Amino acid sequence: MNPIWHESSRASNLYFISGGHKPANPHQWGPGVRDVYALHYIIRGQGTLETGGRVFRLVTGESFIIFPQKEIYYYPDPQDPWEYVWVEFNGEDAGRLLGLTQLSEVQPVVTVSPETLQPFFHLAWNAGASSYELLRADARLRLLLSYYMEHYPKEPQVDAKDYVWLARKYIEQNYWKPTLTVTEIVKAVNLERSYLFRLFKEATGKSVLEYITSCRIERACELLKTSGLPIQSVAYSVGYNDPLYFSKVFKKATSHTPTSYMMLHGTKA
């Protein structure tokens, strides 16, 4: 399959440039440097990558990456030449996303993957010249990298603070749902309930339920001050179907009714 090339002037934080399939042959490249990231997956055969004063022997199912401005030299095994697929990409997010994997300039190789990654490389190639096709190629590139993040996560992947951050993030993104429950948050974070509660209390000084309420009331205050919405709409916007119950919770949290809070800040109910 011939490489697919797209001259990319789009201002994406991560964008696909080219991709292709290299059948088994004597092709070699370098020593030299590239201006892009180039991720390779070995379909079959063997080959060698030389970079940073180190020599890496690669076999079927392994991957290697080229980093921009990093001198490299790679070539097939003469007796069992490798066949591989690749994608080239760039963008400000490229280094950050790769930093979530085990791939690095010091260790540009990862071992045999638990599943074949070849189909995900093909997905990234499927791009034309139109803006929507380029956008799809960028999205497919992110999908490909997500599998490297899953199969080759940088260790340690999470710690106690990360669980609390995940819980807070989930609440801050979903506080407006009347159906939001603690059980839903525990499931999203994927941590034992009582352990999460203890970590959350230690980190924030609040229980999970208290944090949900504080997010809702904080947002309600913003809306009451600036939106001009009626109280019923404000209540619904922050996760309360019952305006009377919302008023009760709001007064307990702020010492003001929603109406008096609006008047205090120069708005009308």
Side-chain angles (χ1 to χ4, degrees):
M1 179 176 180
N2 292 328
I4 299 172
W5 175 260
H6 294 292
E7 193 70 32
S8 179
S9 60
R10 57 198 189 277
S12 170
N13 289 330
L14 179 74
Y15 57 86
F16 169 80
I17 297 175
S18 71
H21 166 242
K22 181 69 68 176
N25 64 56
H27 171 76
Q28 61 184 38
W29 198 92
V33 298
R34 304 292 304 279
D35 296 327
V36 299
Y37 296 87
L39 181 60
H40 299 67
Y41 175 77
I42 315 304
I43 300 172
R44 60 180 59 87
Q46 304 176 62
T48 301
L49 169 70
E50 297 183 13
T51 185
R54 300 179 66 188
V55 177
F56 301 90
R57 311 289 183 187
L58 291 109
V59 299
T60 302
E62 294 185 323
S63 303
F64 73 92
I65 190 166
I66 297 170
F67 283 84
Q69 310 308 322
K70 184 75 173 179
E71 186 176 20
I72 50 96
Y73 176 38
Y74 59 92
Y75 47 90
D77 181 271
Q79 305 303 320
D80 185 20
W82 57 16
E83 175 185 359
Y84 60 80
V85 287
W86 85 92
V87 290
E88 294 179 348
F89 55 96
N90 221 325
E92 295 178 1
D93 262 1
R96 181 183 66 81
L97 293 175
L98 289 171
L100 300 175
T101 75
Q102 295 170 17
L103 290 165
S104 68
E105 292 187 5
V106 175
Q107 185 61 39
V109 172
V110 289
T111 57
V112 178
S113 62
E115 64 176 309
T116 178
L117 297 174
Q118 182 181 354
F120 303 107
F121 281 78
H122 286 284
L123 279 175
W125 302 341
N126 188 22
S130 67
S131 58
Y132 67 83
E133 288 173 312
L134 292 173
L135 183 61
R136 288 174 185 169
D138 295 347
R140 289 163 179 156
L141 170 62
R142 288 183 180 272
L143 176 64
L144 170 63
L145 293 181
S146 76
Y147 282 94
Y148 279 85
M149 292 165 62
E150 177 185 359
H151 297 316
Y152 307 104
K154 185 175 181 179
E155 299 296 343
Q157 191 167 10
V158 293
D159 59 22
K161 291 182 180 178
D162 292 319
Y163 286 115
V164 174
W165 182 87
L166 286 172
R168 291 178 61 179
K169 194 72 173 178
Y170 192 85
I171 292 168
E172 290 163 8
Q173 292 176 339
N174 294 277
Y175 71 89
W176 56 272
K177 298 178 181 178
T179 56
L180 180 64
T181 63
V182 171
T183 299
E184 180 182 341
I185 296 165
V186 169
K187 184 176 180 180
V189 175
N190 193 26
L191 189 66
E192 196 274 326
R193 187 185 187 100
S194 61
Y195 184 45
L196 174 62
F197 286 3
R198 180 169 63 81
L199 292 178
F200 199 92
K201 184 74 172 181
E202 290 174 356
T204 68
K206 299 176 181 178
S207 70
V208 175
L209 279 174
E210 288 170 341
Y211 195 80
I212 294 172
T213 300
S214 68
C215 286
R216 287 172 167 169
I217 297 303
E218 182 179 347
R219 179 56 177 155
C221 288
E222 294 174 3
L223 291 174
L224 289 169
K225 287 191 291 185
T226 63
S227 70
L229 291 171
I231 291 172
Q232 182 176 358
S233 296
V234 171
Y236 196 79
S237 298
V238 297
Y240 295 99
N241 287 333
D242 184 348
L244 293 178
Y245 180 67
F246 163 68
S247 295
K248 180 180 178 181
V249 174
F250 189 88
K251 185 173 183 179
K252 182 178 180 181
T254 67
S255 301
H256 294 281
T257 66
T259 300
S260 64
Y261 189 88
M262 293 175 77
M263 293 176 64
L264 183 66
H265 291 87
T267 57
K268 296 180 180 180

